[in-house]
Amino acid sequence: MTRWIVSQRLYLPFESSALSNHFLNFSKPLRAYTGSIQSLQSEGRVLLPDSSYYSKLLSQCCASKSLVQGKLAHTQLTKLGLSEDPKLRIHLVTLYSKCRDFGYARKLVDESPEPDLVSWSALISGYAQNDHGLEAVLAYREMHGLGIKGNEFTFPTVLKSCSIREDLVMGKQVHGVVVVTGYDSDEFVANGLVVMYAKCGEFGDSRKFFCSIHVKNVVSWNGLISSYVKSDSLREAKEMFDEMILSGIRPSEFSLSTILNACAGLGDCIQGRKAHGYLIKLGYESDRFSENALVDMYAKAGDLEDAIAAFEEISQPDIVSWNAIIAGCILHEQNHQALKLYMQMNRSGIFPNLFTLSSTLKACAGMELNYLARQLHSVVMKLDTKTDSFVRAGLVDMYSKCSLMEEARMAFDLMAQKDLIALNALISGYSQNGEDVQAVSLFAETYKSGIGFNQTTLSVILKSATSLQAIDVSMQVHALSLKLGFDHDSQVATSLIDAYSKCGKIGEAARAFEICAAGDLVALTSMIAAYAQCGQGEEAVKLYLEVQRRGLKPDPFVCSSLLNACANLSAYEQGKQAHVHVLKFGFMSDVFAGNSLVNMYAKCGSIDDAICAFDEIPDRGIVSWSAMIGGFAQHGHGKEALRLFDQMLEDGITPNHITLLSVLCACNHTGLVDKAERYFKSMEELFAIRPTQEHYACMVDILGRAGKLEEAVDLIETMPFRTNGHVWGAILGAARIHKNVELGKRAAEMLFVLEPENSGTLVLLSNIYASTGMWEKVAEVRRLMKHSKVKKEPGTSWVELKDKVYTFIVGDRSHPRTEEIYAKLDELSELMSRAGYVPIVEIDLHDVERSEKEKLLNHHSEKLAVAFALIASPPGAPIRVKKNLRICIDCHNAFKFICEIVSREIIIRDTNRFHHFRNGSCSCGDYW
């Protein structure tokens, strides 16, 4: 048989030295232990120790793993000719094996004149104890090949080695030898077989063999329970522990520390408390392993206070104890407490290890403590952490979350072996800190470096690409995900849907959705939100119905997205049904669902329902207040909006830029010019918010509507940034209201440059010319519209009846009830004429006779929608219509007559605000 050669076999010459006072001095500390050996002097001679002395001396060296002293003793044995003593040889093999000096241990075994089971067992045990499973198995094979049979000490060690290597084939071979030699009934061998099969994943065989053991002791149970825990079969471990207790076996410290680990993994605090009770009852509460397991269990099972109490019961916490409680604090997001404990640990004299530092870096990142980040980095540098990727990645993550991106990049660049965890941390840091160009650039730079990427990397890059509106980058990432199969991953698919929808590519978003897993609620939610954001509310509602059809339980975000879709459609009835689902699934306490309810009711024209929804939100944040203030503003309830704003400030809520924009809109819709100016001028001083383009546009609109055209123009000229289309659009609208041709021309010229595709500019300009009787200019604008590529956006209106949304465009005749609709319009025209209504034909730019213009005005989309609602809805029910453009003057005037004639409230939501028509007047007071 070919003799096995170990790479660690070192045939080194033993150190030789004369017997001297050095050796005698070395032996002095052991005299108290040996007792019977003394150095005696008689006639000038030193009486030398015998083999029994060396046997006890080597046993002491084995126990304390004192390799240097053991080698000195070995030297003296060789000098005295005692090294051939079989018992001393066994002691030496045991010593070298325990001290991991396998070269000397193997040399002694090989030089043994006769094969010796005890020496081989000692060598195999040393390999196994030091996790050298392969060497232990090979040594056993060689021993077996020499004809040496194992015993009750050898087999458990060999089986342990098979467990370490998860070598099922070798384990079964050893099992066969065990059965042949009759050791399968031995308690320790049987336990070794149970653990071996379990560690190799053969839990069926492990459980079967366990059941075959006639007299099971606590060691037998512990073997199987601990194997279940180490294999993450935690529920099975818990069941086995309960079964052990029922069988009358008293658990050991190891049993309880093991089941505590299982409870920690399961988050089962109830079972964990039972184990805690056993610790106290059986007197094991001072066992260090159990103490640490108890802290870890309470921390992970959700009771941090009990974890801290258990930690404080430990008389002298070791590094494992400190690590458990610090990690528990971080798990519960108690980062301040974690850092406090870290400082306390340092003061106690316990030095942090890599796990401690990894946890502390997370705590620092969570609190974004810049000054502490650098201090912790210096601590990391003092330890040998160059090869620990987790700590290095933790540094990158910490600096990123502290917004110290230069330091984060430096920590990443200094890594000897860059890995994916660190790369993702750095890319995420760039993205979260708004440095999206750097995020995308870093990904491109490292793409071919071998670091690789995963779904997290792709999702973050897609987020950055979305922020940059870089649709080409999103498409490249999409192609990459298709190539490597990541497109079916929920995280990547959701990011793709979000990226495409926010770049206006809803069709591409839908295709990405179709590819991903059909039953994935996250992807469905993302697609519903995408449809809602892109104004395709009907598709969003259809997809929600698909969620119900599949039997998936929606989460608050799904319901929030559905409510937003209903809001965009002004689908009041469907919104109420969505509200029922929010109640049904218990999401009323969810702030996102509550905010969406307020927004939905406000945008569906029911401000009273919005108020009720607002009142039911338990913890109102700035989004809640902003939604309600904005709702009041849209409905023309300016005073209520401002009153609510003051209440918000009294409650200690700081406004954001959206809140202040809603406040300005409230002032705009009610003509509160002076208040608007005060709010606008004090934004930065009172709330540290610089006015944005939207705030300036709103303020310009307020001044323009009030006739303060010069002040509006002056405000534009003092803006700290370049003007956009919103600002000049407000000026053009003001010029139309006040018939200021010159200002209108100037605003239109600016808009031709800023928004060349906007057809509304020419329409408003022609209205200005028409209102001042400049018909030649009107004709000129008409020709320009005719020959240019700019096409007027057709007026479109939507009305909801019986859970269905109906769409109408100007002059629409596609509806199945068209004849009834137009007959109703003719009827209303006659009744309005009797009541004194006169069509405002001047706003119609078509070159036709007056009678034809009156007919065209009568067929506007909002009038068609109202007529349909009158014939299809119950008498007296409010009519809610949404329009894609601002309502025209003639329709606004006509609805004041119609609402009184039919005795109904008519609610029109246009692009600017809500108009509530009732009793012959409008809520806007004709100020819109």
Side-chain angles (χ1 to χ4, degrees):
M1 178 178 178
T2 305
R3 293 192 58 86
W4 167 60
I5 300 176
V6 185
S7 59
Q8 281 188 290
R9 184 189 296 172
L10 303 172
Y11 293 100
L12 303 176
F14 291 115
E15 299 172 8
S16 60
S17 60
L19 186 61
S20 62
N21 288 332
H22 173 76
F23 176 73
L24 295 176
N25 290 335
F26 155 69
S27 67
K28 285 179 182 178
L30 299 174
R31 287 177 188 167
Y33 174 78
T34 58
S36 63
I37 304 299
Q38 297 181 7
S39 293
L40 301 176
Q41 291 186 344
S42 176
E43 298 179 2
R45 293 186 299 110
V46 177
L47 298 180
L48 299 175
D50 59 9
S51 61
S52 64
Y53 169 77
Y54 282 108
S55 177
K56 292 178 181 179
L57 175 59
L58 289 171
S59 296
Q60 176 71 6
C61 290
C62 285
S64 61
K65 294 186 179 180
S66 303
L67 181 61
V68 175
Q69 291 89 335
K71 284 187 174 181
L72 286 171
H74 191 176
T75 302
Q76 301 309 319
L77 287 173
T78 305
K79 275 293 215 177
L80 298 172
L82 298 175
S83 60
E84 299 300 321
D85 186 303
K87 291 183 179 179
L88 293 178
R89 182 181 292 276
I90 290 169
H91 279 305
L92 286 169
V93 172
T94 304
L95 170 68
Y96 288 127
S97 298
K98 281 191 173 182
C99 295
R100 303 172 64 93
D101 200 335
F102 297 113
Y104 281 134
R106 184 55 200 252
K107 183 177 188 295
L108 288 167
V109 171
D110 288 342
E111 290 178 350
S112 178
E114 293 184 7
D116 175 22
L117 173 61
V118 180
S119 297
W120 278 101
S121 295
L123 178 64
I124 293 168
S125 176
Y127 281 131
Q129 288 173 3
N130 289 285
D131 290 332
H132 292 297
L134 175 62
E135 289 81 354
V137 169
L138 292 174
Y140 170 74
R141 280 182 176 174
E142 186 173 355
M143 183 193 85
H144 187 71
L146 293 171
I148 303 173
K149 295 181 179 180
N151 61 11
E152 68 271 24
F153 301 107
T154 315
F155 288 125
T157 304
V158 178
L159 289 168
K160 179 183 178 182
S161 301
C162 295
S163 301
I164 293 170
R165 301 190 63 244
E166 297 183 9
D167 189 344
L168 182 62
V169 174
M170 185 63 187
K172 286 184 174 181
Q173 291 176 7
V174 175
H175 188 179
V177 176
V178 166
V179 172
V180 170
T181 53
Y183 284 105
D184 52 326
S185 60
D186 180 83
E187 172 188 333
F188 294 100
V189 176
N191 292 337
L193 284 166
V194 169
V195 174
M196 184 275 295
Y197 280 116
K199 289 280 184 70
C200 292
E202 298 293 326
F203 284 104
D205 288 340
S206 177
R207 187 70 179 263
K208 182 179 177 182
F209 195 79
F210 173 80
C211 293
S212 71
I213 300 174
H214 297 295
V215 182
K216 303 180 186 72
N217 61 16
V218 70
V219 179
S220 313
W221 289 94
N222 286 348
L224 188 55
I225 292 170
S226 64
S227 297
Y228 275 130
V229 172
K230 289 176 182 176
S231 301
D232 285 331
S233 300
L234 304 179
R235 296 194 182 281
E236 290 81 355
K238 178 184 168 185
E239 290 170 4
M240 286 294 295
F241 179 80
D242 291 338
E243 192 178 329
M244 180 185 78
I245 297 297
L246 288 173
S247 70
I249 298 295
R250 173 185 170 126
S252 65
E253 300 99 314
F254 183 77
S255 314
L256 293 170
S257 63
T258 302
I259 199 62
L260 284 170
N261 289 334
C263 294
L266 289 169
D268 189 346
C269 197
I270 295 173
Q271 181 73 26
R273 288 184 190 282
K274 290 180 182 178
H276 190 178
Y278 281 118
L279 282 173
I280 297 170
K281 180 180 178 181
L282 300 173
Y284 298 149
E285 61 263 42
S286 61
D287 175 67
R288 178 51 50 86
F289 292 103
S290 299
E291 286 178 324
N292 292 339
L294 198 61
V295 174
D296 187 58
M297 182 277 296
Y298 278 126
K300 289 179 179 176
D303 201 330
L304 185 60
E305 289 185 8
D306 284 343
I308 293 172
F311 173 77
E312 290 173 348
E313 289 294 319
I314 302 174
S315 57
Q316 291 184 326
D318 59 15
I319 188 63
V320 178
S321 316
W322 287 103
N323 284 345
I325 192 63
I326 291 171
C329 289
I330 293 166
L331 185 66
H332 290 269
E333 297 183 355
Q334 297 295 319
N335 296 312
H336 182 268
Q337 178 76 356
L339 292 174
K340 185 178 177 182
L341 285 165
Y342 171 74
M343 301 298 182
Q344 188 179 334
M345 183 193 78
N346 282 335
R347 288 194 297 271
S348 73
I350 302 290
F351 291 101
N353 61 14
L354 296 178
F355 188 86
T356 325
L357 288 173
S358 181
S359 297
T360 310
L361 292 173
K362 288 179 184 176
C364 182
M367 295 189 69
E368 300 180 10
L369 300 175
N370 295 13
Y371 70 94
L372 185 60
R374 296 186 177 94
Q375 291 180 26
L376 287 173
H377 193 172
S378 67
V379 176
V380 170
M381 295 298 290
K382 290 176 183 177
L383 295 176
D384 183 20
T385 61
K386 292 180 181 178
T387 57
D388 190 89
S389 59
F390 288 103
V391 173
R392 290 288 166 177
L395 279 172
V396 175
D397 182 61
M398 176 188 67
Y399 278 130
S400 297
K401 288 179 178 173
C402 291
S403 301
L404 300 171
M405 292 313 300
E406 288 186 12
E407 287 84 348
R409 183 58 188 261
M410 178 187 67
F412 178 77
D413 289 339
L414 288 174
M415 290 181 69
Q417 294 292 328
K418 298 175 178 61
D419 60 20
L420 185 55
I421 297 172
L423 175 63
N424 283 346
L426 185 57
I427 290 176
S428 298
Y430 279 133
S431 182
Q432 290 163 5
N433 286 286
E435 299 182 31
D436 298 298
V437 173
Q438 288 85 341
V440 174
S441 299
L442 179 62
F443 177 65
E445 176 186 327
T446 58
Y447 173 57
K448 294 183 179 180
S449 65
I451 297 177
F453 56 87
N454 59 14
Q455 54 267 50
T456 301
T457 324
L458 297 178
S459 296
V460 175
I461 294 302
L462 285 167
K463 179 178 178 290
S464 289
T466 304
S467 298
L468 295 169
Q469 289 290 291
I471 189 65
D472 55 331
V473 174
S474 297
M475 293 177 75
Q476 289 177 41
V477 173
H478 192 180
L480 196 59
S481 66
L482 285 168
K483 181 180 178 181
L484 299 176
F486 283 115
D487 55 308
H488 291 279
D489 179 82
S490 173
Q491 187 179 359
V492 175
T494 301
S495 299
L496 281 168
I497 292 166
D498 186 62
Y500 280 129
S501 62
K502 288 182 177 176
C503 290
K505 300 286 185 181
I506 193 67
E508 295 295 332
R511 278 187 282 277
F513 168 73
E514 288 169 4
I515 293 172
C516 76
D520 188 353
L521 180 62
V522 177
L524 281 161
T525 303
S526 185
M527 196 65 228
I528 291 170
Y531 278 133
Q533 290 166 2
C534 293
Q536 296 192 22
E538 293 178 48
E539 296 299 323
V541 173
K542 287 179 185 176
L543 206 53
Y544 180 76
L545 295 175
E546 180 68 14
V547 170
Q548 290 184 293
R549 189 186 66 78
R550 295 183 186 180
L552 299 173
K553 182 182 177 180
D555 58 16
F557 189 76
V558 176
C559 291
S560 178
S561 299
L562 177 65
L563 289 166
N564 290 335
C566 295
N568 291 335
L569 286 171
S570 286
Y572 178 70
E573 294 301 326
Q574 291 185 10
K576 286 201 296 183
Q577 290 182 30
H579 190 171
V580 171
H581 282 258
V582 170
L583 290 166
K584 177 182 176 183
F585 292 112
F587 299 149
M588 282 304 298
S589 60
D590 181 81
V591 67
F592 294 104
N595 294 340
S596 296
L597 274 171
V598 173
N599 180 60
M600 182 275 293
Y601 280 124
K603 288 186 175 178
C604 287
S606 182
I607 195 67
D608 292 335
D609 286 330
I611 293 169
C612 291
F614 175 77
D615 289 340
E616 290 183 11
I617 298 175
D619 297 313
R620 299 179 196 131
I622 186 58
V623 178
S624 314
W625 290 94
S626 297
M628 195 66 243
I629 292 168
F632 277 132
Q634 281 187 316
H635 286 266
H637 302 313
K639 292 181 180 178
E640 288 84 350
L642 297 180
R643 178 189 56 77
L644 193 64
F645 178 68
D646 291 337
Q647 183 184 334
M648 183 193 81
L649 295 178
E650 289 175 9
D651 286 359
I653 304 296
T654 303
N656 60 17
H657 67 285
I658 295 173
T659 322
L660 293 172
L661 183 61
S662 297
V663 167
L664 292 177
C665 287
C667 295
N668 191 10
H669 294 322
T670 47
L672 302 174
V673 181
D674 293 338
K675 280 195 173 183
E677 286 188 290
R678 284 201 301 274
Y679 284 124
F680 181 78
K681 291 177 181 178
S682 62
M683 280 176 60
E684 194 164 357
E685 180 184 347
L686 295 180
F687 309 115
I689 297 174
R690 290 186 178 182
T692 64
Q693 290 269 18
E694 288 78 11
H695 296 107
Y696 273 96
C698 191
M699 195 64 224
V700 168
D701 194 37
I702 292 169
L703 295 171
R705 287 175 181 276
K708 298 184 176 184
L709 300 179
E710 289 185 10
E711 290 183 38
V713 172
D714 290 342
L715 182 61
I716 289 175
E717 292 175 350
T718 59
M719 284 174 62
F721 28 65
R722 292 180 63 183
T723 55
N724 60 15
H726 294 294
V727 174
W728 285 107
I731 288 291
L732 183 61
R736 179 189 64 82
I737 294 170
H738 299 287
K739 301 178 182 180
N740 189 318
V741 176
E742 291 303 316
L743 186 58
K745 284 174 61 179
R746 180 185 173 189
E749 288 169 358
M750 294 299 297
L751 287 168
F752 291 150
V753 176
L754 295 169
E755 297 178 350
E757 302 298 320
N758 189 350
S759 62
T761 302
L762 289 170
V763 174
L764 281 175
L765 182 61
S766 63
N767 286 341
I768 294 172
Y769 287 140
S771 65
T772 56
M774 301 174 66
W775 301 110
E776 290 183 4
K777 290 291 185 181
V778 172
E780 185 180 324
V781 172
R782 282 195 197 131
R783 287 192 296 273
L784 183 61
M785 290 179 68
K786 184 177 181 180
H787 296 295
S788 69
K789 294 181 180 179
V790 177
K791 292 186 178 180
K792 183 179 183 295
E793 183 181 2
T796 307
S797 296
W798 296 266
V799 63
E800 180 196 23
L801 290 172
K802 297 179 182 178
D803 295 339
K804 186 175 180 182
V805 177
Y806 297 87
T807 306
F808 294 89
I809 60 172
V810 61
D812 198 344
R813 289 187 175 273
S814 62
H815 197 279
R817 301 182 69 176
T818 293
E819 296 302 323
E820 295 176 74
I821 292 169
Y822 278 87
K824 190 66 177 178
L825 283 175
D826 292 340
E827 177 191 333
L828 289 171
S829 295
E830 186 176 341
L831 292 172
M832 284 191 294
S833 295
R834 292 176 188 174
Y837 163 74
V838 178
I840 306 172
V841 296
E842 291 80 11
I843 65 169
D844 188 88
L845 304 180
H846 293 90
D847 189 14
V848 293
E849 296 297 325
R850 180 182 176 87
S851 61
E852 188 64 25
K853 286 190 176 187
E854 289 180 5
K855 187 181 292 185
L856 290 171
L857 289 173
N858 200 37
H859 298 165
H860 276 192
S861 63
E862 55 265 56
K863 287 177 181 169
L864 293 170
V866 168
F868 171 65
L870 285 170
I871 64 174
S873 62
I879 296 171
R880 293 179 171 84
V881 175
K882 176 190 172 185
K883 188 177 180 183
N884 65 329
L885 304 174
R886 179 176 287 189
I887 187 172
C888 75
I889 299 172
D890 180 72
C891 288
H892 191 272
N893 189 38
F895 288 139
K896 289 192 287 185
F897 285 92
I898 294 172
C899 72
E900 193 164 28
I901 291 168
V902 300
S903 299
R904 291 217 211 180
E905 181 182 9
I906 300 173
I907 304 165
I908 307 293
R909 172 188 166 189
D910 67 10
T911 55
N912 193 43
R913 59 171 296 158
F914 277 89
H915 300 267
H916 293 257
F917 296 94
R918 63 166 73 94
N919 300 324
S921 63
C922 179
S923 60
C924 72
D926 295 337
Y927 188 85
W928 90 101

